[in-house]
Amino acid sequence: MKAAAFTYARATSVVNALELLAAHGDKAKVLSGGQSLMPAMNLRLVSPDIVVDIGGLTELRGIAVSGDVLAIGALTRHVDLLRSPEVAAHAPLLRDAVAHVAHPAIRNRGTVGGSLAHADPASEIPACMAALDATIVVRGPGGERRIATAEFFRGIYETALSPQDLLVAVELPLSGEGARFFFQEYARRHGDYAIVGLAARALVGGGQFTDLRLGFFAVGDRPLLADAARKLINVSVTPALLAETAAALAEELDPEEDQQASPAMRRHLATVLMRRCVAALLERPELETGGAW
Amino acid sequence: MIAPIPVSLLVNGEPIEALVAPRLNLADFLRETLKLTGTHVGCEHGVCGACTVRVDGEIVRSCLLLAVQAQGSSVETIEGLSDSGEIADLQAAFRARNALQCGYCTPGMLITAQDLLRQSPTPDRAAIREHLSGNYCRCTGYQAIVDAVEATAKTRAEQAA
């Protein structure tokens, strides 16, 4: 199908984009890479009266380290994350995740800001941002705000953004020495939306986790930072403890049923990913099979 | 009635000026306005890869790009890549191995395969499959396509040596 008719405005600056959004409110949609918005418009799931194209705002593009923060502009494309030495050095989780995001032709256009603002619960980047404890930078009529990932995602395609807001950047704390990362997902075909996925960041010392952040996706209405991970911090991980954690994780998740998987299947796959993740990060392959399981 | 918007771009090296409706996507602009019908329209939501073209040297889905977004860009279609001879060897390899039946996916396959070979001159079969993973073919089962891309890579590597 083709998109319904709309008026097109090419924003000339961030200020101009904010003016357009202030004038048109929820009748407007922001177009960045268009790799989620255009399919939705072509399928007539979304029919904005006006499309505000921010694609030409080069000030929103780029990756830079400043102080103890890795700042990624909203218009930074998926392919830019794959190629960035800063991302490879400070947030390799993002590079690993992006290899699973759709296909090369999509990654050449899709943007980080677009993925976050779209807030598809099955999408990889939001879960990475949860695992990496990112802060999302938003500009609106009242000025600039910084929103923690946990506050930003509110539900399926729902975020803390108001119709007058523009997501301008995301900031990640530098991972520091000794940080370890894990990314895996189940999908029917490489590049498809995940059935279940896990993006994790850990600190390991003396064979134990001193920090562990497990960001699951496609297991609920938003990326989920699993509370169950706390059971594994500052303790010696045994098969029994891992089994207990898996049970707590399955309890914590509230997955949707869809054509791809039942809630029970999603819970099971999430625990499988959690075991693999713990085994890989602690370099203890015997934990993956789970001993008693 | 929504006013059309002026757009100027290069298509296969030729300067184009046009007035387009905002809702017109690049695939339909190429096919309907410029009569470049080698770019095929399949799913119209970014899944099938039949509409793949190059914009400023990088492959994109032309069904997910508005014609107005191509303002100031250089667009290359299968017609451009064919006429320049850039992919003549790849096309010959597809033909030799029956790497197409109905041909609907072929322009997108060729452009995507050429994109891989420009970035990675000697990809293994897994890398070929990965790069082509966003392009559906409902006829061949992909084996012959992967064969053709692999053979072209080898021939080009030998010629470069």
Side-chain angles (χ1 to χ4, degrees):
Chain A
M1 280 165 60
K2 324 279 184 195
F6 55 84
T7 303
Y8 174 85
R10 189 178 288 131
T12 53
S13 66
V14 170
V15 171
N16 176 233
L18 290 173
E19 287 166 358
L20 288 162
L21 294 176
H24 298 282
D26 60 8
K27 303 258 192 280
K29 270 286 186 187
V30 175
L31 174 63
S32 57
Q35 302 302 287
S36 298
L37 180 60
M38 286 305 305
M41 287 172 58
N42 286 354
L43 292 166
R44 306 272 177 121
L45 300 172
V46 188
S47 296
D49 288 355
I50 176 166
V51 164
V52 176
D53 183 1
I54 61 167
L57 304 183
T58 49
E59 66 263 42
L60 297 182
R61 203 180 292 280
I63 302 168
V65 175
S66 103
D68 54 0
V69 163
L70 178 69
I72 302 174
L75 284 186
T76 305
R77 302 170 305 158
H78 291 99
V79 69
D80 300 325
L81 297 179
L82 275 180
R83 292 175 185 160
S84 159
E86 290 87 1
V87 168
H90 301 294
L93 182 68
L94 283 175
R95 182 199 55 197
D96 296 345
V98 166
H100 294 266
V101 177
H103 312 286
I106 305 275
R107 299 197 288 256
N108 283 339
R109 294 286 307 178
T111 66
V112 172
S115 174
L116 295 173
H118 184 59
D120 188 315
S123 147
E124 290 84 357
I125 302 290
C128 289
M129 296 306 174
L132 296 171
D133 200 12
T135 302
I136 289 159
V137 185
V138 173
R139 269 184 233 163
E144 192 164 280
R145 332 201 280 291
R146 284 179 155 65
I147 307 173
T149 315
E151 307 298 319
F152 183 78
F153 296 105
R154 300 276 172 87
I156 298 175
Y157 308 135
E158 283 182 33
T159 68
L161 291 169
S162 82
Q164 288 81 28
D165 285 334
L166 189 66
L167 193 162
V168 294
V170 58
E171 295 177 346
L172 306 168
L174 296 188
S175 48
E177 292 292 310
R180 297 183 188 182
F181 303 94
F182 176 91
F183 186 94
Q184 269 193 28
E185 68 178 39
Y186 284 104
R188 296 269 176 205
R189 173 181 69 145
H190 187 102
D192 281 357
Y193 278 108
I195 298 170
V196 175
L198 171 58
R201 189 195 75 172
L203 296 173
V204 177
Q208 298 184 358
F209 289 117
T210 56
D211 189 25
L212 178 62
R213 297 173 67 88
L214 300 178
F216 284 93
F217 53 102
V219 293
D221 69 353
R222 68 195 82 178
L224 179 120
L225 201 59
D227 273 336
R230 291 181 201 182
K231 290 178 177 289
L232 302 172
I233 296 172
N234 292 325
V235 290
S236 179
V237 176
T238 61
L241 177 62
L242 202 52
E244 185 190 317
T245 309
L249 174 67
E251 185 74 19
E252 187 181 344
L253 301 180
D254 185 18
E256 307 270 334
E257 164 127 35
D258 64 16
Q259 290 174 321
Q260 296 208 82
S262 65
M265 178 175 163
R266 286 202 156 89
R267 283 198 179 89
H268 172 70
L269 293 177
T271 62
V272 172
L273 287 181
M274 192 270 289
R275 287 171 180 283
R276 280 188 195 164
C277 170
V278 170
L281 292 175
L282 292 177
E283 296 171 340
R284 287 175 57 194
E286 80 279 6
L287 286 175
E288 184 179 328
T289 49
W293 278 45
Chain B
M1 181 66 196
I2 288 166
I5 292 184
V7 61
S8 62
L9 67 163
L10 287 177
V11 177
N12 298 326
E14 188 182 334
I16 304 286
E17 308 270 345
L19 280 173
V20 298
R23 68 189 282 255
L24 185 70
N25 68 42
L26 181 63
D28 288 338
F29 176 71
L30 294 168
R31 289 178 57 82
E32 309 291 335
T33 309
L34 303 184
K35 308 298 178 194
L36 294 171
T37 53
T39 299
H40 290 170
V41 174
C43 71
E44 298 192 309
H45 63 282
V47 175
C48 78
C51 68
T52 305
V53 300
R54 265 193 212 151
V55 174
D56 295 331
E58 293 182 315
I59 56 169
V60 304
R61 303 281 205 239
S62 59
C63 76
L64 298 187
L65 194 67
L66 300 171
V68 288
Q69 286 179 284
Q71 165 65 32
S73 298
S74 170
V75 176
E76 293 167 278
T77 69
I78 190 64
E79 289 88 348
L81 268 68
S82 295
D83 290 351
S84 71
E86 179 184 335
I87 57 167
D89 54 348
L90 191 59
Q91 288 167 313
F94 266 59
R95 191 165 57 240
R97 285 164 184 77
N98 286 328
L100 67 154
Q101 285 178 33
C102 83
Y104 205 83
C105 72
T106 310
M109 283 287 178
L110 290 167
I111 292 179
T112 306
Q114 174 66 0
D115 181 64
L116 172 65
L117 295 179
R118 291 208 301 179
Q119 292 176 33
S120 164
T122 51
D124 61 20
R125 293 180 71 86
I128 294 169
R129 287 186 180 280
E130 157 66 15
H131 208 81
L132 294 176
S133 66
N135 292 66
Y136 278 151
C137 171
R138 303 287 76 164
C139 300
T140 64
Y142 301 99
Q143 299 288 351
I145 294 173
V146 176
D147 291 347
V149 176
E150 189 180 34
T152 305
K154 279 184 183 153
T155 310
R156 287 187 189 178
E158 283 162 16
Q159 284 167 353

